[in-house]
Amino acid sequence: QVQLVESGGGSVQAGGSLRLSCAASGISIRGVCMGWFRQAPGTEREGVGTINSVDRTIYADSVKGRFTISRDNAKNTLYLEMNSLKPEDTAMYYCAAQTFRTYCPTSVQSTTYNYWGQGTQVAVSS
């Protein structure tokens, strides 16, 4: 059974930093297309960034230069390092994995992932 479990969310003041983790079980994340998404209350889920099979990353314009996606294959964990946080970054953050095909999404907003985590809440106060 495949599981993705996010952690690391919390409350932080504007300008602060958080590192989210997405621990995978049931699959190896090595070379797997993965993404981070977020959803604020009353809004649609939006893509934050993706990492492809050769660890190339792409980001939404709203987080470019502030957020970094990485993975530790030995720990089977995906990370989202978030710096210079803003109140508009407040949302539930989700990780996702795509295992059903070999080519990765080329758009940050693509939701063609077959496994999703339950989310971790991030709240940024001004």
Side-chain angles (χ1 to χ4, degrees):
Q1 181 182 0
V2 176
Q3 280 193 314
L4 301 176
V5 179
E6 301 93 337
S7 62
S11 298
V12 64
Q13 288 192 324
S17 300
L18 284 173
R19 187 176 79 156
L20 306 185
S21 299
C22 171
S25 59
I27 57 168
S28 169
I29 68 167
R30 182 187 299 271
V32 171
C33 313
M34 300 193 74
W36 283 99
F37 294 79
R38 66 186 182 185
Q39 188 170 18
T43 69
E44 293 187 353
R45 189 171 296 187
E46 65 168 341
V48 172
T50 68
I51 184 167
N52 72 3
S53 57
V54 293
D55 288 352
R56 181 179 177 182
T57 54
I58 54 175
Y59 300 95
D61 287 345
S62 58
V63 306
K64 202 173 295 183
R66 299 188 298 123
F67 289 12
T68 303
I69 295 173
S70 63
R71 68 172 119 208
D72 185 329
N73 294 323
K75 295 183 178 180
N76 215 32
T77 299
L78 181 74
Y79 299 102
L80 178 66
E81 184 78 36
M82 306 187 295
N83 298 313
S84 302
L85 282 162
K86 304 175 181 180
E88 51 263 44
D89 295 319
T90 295
M92 185 73 79
Y93 283 72
Y94 303 87
C95 65
Q98 178 191 283
T99 62
F100 65 93
R101 61 186 184 188
T102 57
Y103 60 93
C104 296
T106 56
S107 167
V108 170
Q109 301 307 323
S110 174
T111 56
T112 55
Y113 295 87
N114 49 321
Y115 296 110
W116 292 82
Q118 293 301 305
T120 185
Q121 181 68 46
V122 171
V124 184
S125 59
S126 57

